[in-house]
Amino acid sequence: MKKWITILLAAAMLLSIAACGTAEKAETPAADTEEQAAEESAAEADVESDGGLEVDRGLFNVTITIPAEFLEEGKTQADYDAEAKEKGFKSATLNEDGSVTYVMTRVQHEEMMAETRAAIEESLAGMSNNADFPNFTSIDANADYTEFTVHCTTEELSFTESFSVLGFYMIGGMYNAFNGTPVDNIHVVFVNDATGAVISESNSADMADLG
């Protein structure tokens, strides 16, 4: 289970940034208008990293601050400058707390999220009929990953299968955080394939009541 969570949170999110090439340069104006320049400066100035993931979706650009724990250790500002230049990002700034703030175009952000969705779908498909989840036959999710339906061959979930709900919460939460559309709840339902009966149903919002 650790493997697919790691893939989703690290590879799907961060490698999707790396996958954004320089093709988007041709789709952005050669020179920013005064309004664009002002908007960019305001967005960059307003982002204050406290170690948590932050996404600011402006009219023309998207600013993403990624916490240090999701990043490769040992990289310097020069490394991030080179990365930003290679990928065509506006900038990539290494902050004092180890987080990194990326500024990219809306087109680049949309491509990043498309790469993320593809990686999530591949990982969800890989959860079916494998050693960790032998009773899962398929997993359906809605467009923004706030609703998951897990189809099963069993009438009772194992501990590992029940625990997987936390992974779905993380997938939905992280996807929407990177998308700049934070959500209050992720809903997960486990259904028996043969009968259609609901085996188990969970909401991430309920976890706040456990604190």
Side-chain angles (χ1 to χ4, degrees):
M1 184 166 61
K2 178 180 178 181
K3 180 179 179 180
W4 67 267
I5 292 177
T6 301
I7 290 174
L8 288 169
L9 298 186
M13 303 302 182
L14 300 182
L15 291 183
S16 62
I17 289 180
C20 293
T22 57
E24 295 81 357
K25 286 183 176 180
E27 300 182 42
T28 57
D32 292 329
T33 63
E34 292 182 4
E35 291 81 4
Q36 286 174 302
E39 190 268 349
E40 291 169 23
S41 297
E44 292 181 36
D46 288 343
V47 173
E48 297 180 0
S49 175
D50 59 359
L53 175 65
E54 298 178 6
V55 177
D56 181 4
R57 297 179 64 171
L59 182 61
F60 300 101
N61 294 319
V62 177
T63 302
I64 301 178
T65 299
I66 301 177
E69 55 264 33
F70 289 100
L71 299 167
E72 180 182 347
E73 295 183 3
K75 294 183 69 172
T76 66
Q77 181 60 60
D79 294 325
Y80 286 110
D81 287 340
E83 178 185 11
K85 182 178 181 180
E86 178 186 357
K87 304 305 177 185
F89 296 158
K90 297 286 185 177
S91 63
T93 304
L94 179 61
N95 302 308
E96 291 185 1
D97 62 0
S99 64
V100 172
T101 298
Y102 291 91
V103 180
M104 64 186 69
T105 67
R106 289 290 294 261
V107 172
Q108 289 169 326
H109 182 253
E110 289 168 5
E111 179 174 320
M112 183 192 83
M113 297 313 299
E115 294 280 349
T116 299
R117 289 191 293 273
I120 289 175
E121 291 297 333
E122 182 179 354
S123 296
L124 291 178
M127 289 179 64
S128 301
N129 301 305
N130 69 16
D132 289 327
F133 310 102
N135 295 310
F136 291 0
T137 58
S138 64
I139 301 169
D140 300 325
N142 64 350
D144 63 357
Y145 300 103
T146 56
E147 298 276 347
F148 293 89
T149 300
V150 185
H151 300 274
C152 309
T153 59
T154 184
E155 296 182 354
E156 184 175 351
L157 300 176
S158 69
F159 174 78
T160 300
E161 291 165 343
S162 297
F163 194 71
S164 70
V165 70
L166 298 180
F168 295 117
Y169 292 166
M170 294 172 71
I171 294 168
M174 290 295 292
Y175 173 83
N176 284 281
F178 271 84
N179 197 40
T181 52
V183 293
D184 295 326
N185 185 58
I186 308 297
H187 178 244
V188 183
V189 57
F190 296 86
V191 178
N192 180 272
D193 266 344
T195 65
V198 173
I199 304 169
S200 177
E201 196 168 1
S202 303
N203 292 284
S204 62
D206 294 338
M207 296 189 68
D209 299 331
L210 302 177

